[in-house]
């Protein structure tokens, strides 16, 4: 099988709605929520043939995550950004499953509490939802703020991770 670095994409119907997953044979470059179904039809770069192994691996790990069987993703990701954005995205991947961090704490981790707005902006430009866990960043008053996928999805993801991390069981 030939290796390609051409970005292709496919769709995965998750518990949070339709996800567009894009990548190459070497990495995943996009996991985004799709609310506009017109975007889901005839999307750019949509797969016409077999799904590349990297995208299959991504979907399998997302399924495991949603079933509560996976806390860490182990496939390569890549997204283009400024050095600062890349630093923020790298910092996001260090937030443990089931934990949260405030935007102010994020800025402090980056070495400058004054960069809070820039850190929030870089967080909002993350193209790899769930895997680069921007949903784990919350407001300084522990409130849910700023999530491109919608606050209801952010709440769902945080509740899901809390249940799995702390062993909270539900009957149904």
């Amino acid at each position: 099988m030939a290796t390609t670095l051409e970005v292709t994409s496919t769709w995965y119907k998750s518990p949070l709605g339709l996800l567009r997953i894009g990548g190459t044979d070497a990495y995943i470059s996009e996991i985004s929520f799709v609310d506009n179904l017109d975007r889901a039809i005839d999307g750019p770069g949509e797969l016409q043939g077999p799904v590349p192994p990297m995208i299959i691996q991504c979907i399998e790990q997302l399924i495991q995550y949603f079933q509560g069987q996976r806390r860490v993703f182990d496939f390569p990701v890549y997204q283009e950004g400024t050095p600062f954005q890349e630093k923020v995205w790298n910092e996001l991947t260090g937030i443990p499953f089931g934990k949260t961090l405030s935007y102010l704490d994020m800025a402090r981790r980056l070495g400058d509490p004054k960069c809070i707005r820039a850190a929030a902006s870089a967080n909002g430009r993350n193209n790899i939802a769930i895997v680069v866990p921007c949903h784990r960043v919350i407001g300084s008053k522990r409130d849910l703020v700023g999530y491109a996928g919608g606050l209801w999805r952010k709440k769902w993801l945080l509740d899901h991770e809390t249940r799995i991390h702390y062993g909270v069981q539900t009957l149904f």
Side-chain angles (χ1 to χ4, degrees):
M1 179 177 190
T3 302
T4 179
L5 291 181
E6 180 181 333
V7 175
T8 55
S9 63
T10 193
W11 310 99
Y12 164 61
K13 188 175 180 182
S14 79
L16 294 171
L18 195 60
L19 290 174
R20 179 182 169 100
I21 301 172
T24 69
D25 288 341
Y27 57 79
I28 296 298
S29 59
E30 176 190 14
I31 300 174
S32 59
F33 296 103
V34 178
D35 289 322
N36 180 352
L37 293 181
D38 290 339
R39 182 177 174 226
I41 300 168
D42 299 325
E46 189 170 343
L47 292 171
Q48 301 298 318
V51 178
M54 185 63 63
I55 291 179
I56 292 171
Q57 181 181 2
C58 173
I59 292 170
E60 288 173 346
Q61 289 189 22
L62 284 168
I63 290 168
Q64 293 166 354
Y65 169 85
F66 285 120
Q67 292 175 342
Q69 300 167 346
R70 175 170 292 276
R71 296 175 183 217
V72 176
F73 298 93
D74 59 10
F75 50 82
V77 297
Y78 172 77
Q79 54 185 327
E80 288 187 32
T82 67
F84 181 78
Q85 288 171 331
E86 291 175 3
K87 187 175 178 182
V88 170
W89 299 330
N90 186 53
E91 201 61 45
L92 290 172
T93 62
I95 304 171
F97 180 93
K99 302 289 185 176
T100 58
L101 190 71
S102 75
Y103 286 100
L104 179 58
D105 291 335
M106 172 68 72
R108 287 179 179 143
R109 281 188 177 192
L110 294 166
D112 182 2
K114 295 176 186 169
C115 76
I116 188 168
R117 288 183 187 267
S121 177
N123 192 46
R125 295 195 193 295
N126 172 32
N127 292 322
I128 306 175
I130 303 167
V131 174
V132 178
C134 55
H135 63 276
R136 295 180 188 155
V137 184
I138 59 173
S140 295
K141 297 177 183 172
R142 306 215 34 88
D143 49 341
L144 294 182
V145 294
Y147 190 62
L151 290 181
W152 72 271
R153 286 189 177 111
K154 183 172 191 164
K155 181 179 180 345
W156 191 97
L157 289 165
L158 292 174
D159 288 347
H160 171 71
E161 291 184 6
T162 299
R163 279 192 307 275
I164 303 304
H165 182 73
Y166 293 103
V168 178
Q169 300 291 319
T170 58
L171 295 175
F172 304 103

